[in-house]
Amino acid sequence: QVHLVESGGGSVQAGGSLRLSCAGSGYNSSNYCLAWFRQYPGEGRAGIARIWTGGSIQFYANSVKGRFTISRDSAKNTLYLQMNNLQPADTATYYCAAHAASYYNCDLRPSDYTFWGQGTQVTVSS
């Protein structure tokens, strides 16, 4: 059974930085699509960044491009999201997610993802 555990959320002022971590267990990290989603109250989860483990190819939503960086440490089976220049609009619950995939099946559709973390809150004050 795949298990994902997030950490690193918290409160920060606008312009600040946070790094989220997602420790994974129970899966072979080759050929998996790993992603970060965020969810505002009353809305569905929106994908913001994903990485395909077969080649570490990354993709970002326009809302975070240039400010957020997704990365992974394969030895530790841990996924990261470095978030810089945070803004109040980034306030949300953040989730990591994973599913087995080829490069061509690695996207940011929530319905594609089989495994989810429990979520971590990020709050950015102005």
Side-chain angles (χ1 to χ4, degrees), residues 6-109:
E6 297 123 345
S7 60
S11 297
V12 66
Q13 289 192 325
S17 299
L18 284 173
R19 189 177 80 156
L20 305 182
S21 300
C22 174
S25 62
Y27 71 99
N28 182 339
S29 62
S30 61
N31 294 328
Y32 261 73
C33 192
L34 308 177
W36 289 98
F37 292 77
R38 65 186 180 188
Q39 186 172 24
Y40 300 119
E43 298 185 13
R45 295 177 187 180
I48 56 174
R50 56 97 167 141
I51 186 168
W52 181 61
T53 63
S56 293
I57 300 169
Q58 305 161 27
F59 177 84
Y60 298 91
N62 288 335
S63 58
V64 304
K65 195 176 296 182
R67 300 187 299 125
F68 292 10
T69 302
I70 188 171
S71 63
R72 58 185 285 264
D73 184 329
S74 57
K76 296 181 179 179
N77 229 12
T78 299
L79 180 70
Y80 301 100
L81 185 68
Q82 177 67 43
M83 305 185 294
N84 297 329
N85 191 21
L86 282 160
Q87 300 300 316
D90 297 315
T91 296
T93 302
Y94 286 71
Y95 297 88
C96 61
H99 73 100
S102 67
Y103 168 73
Y104 300 101
N105 295 79
C106 187
D107 213 314
L108 283 175
R109 288 181 296 266

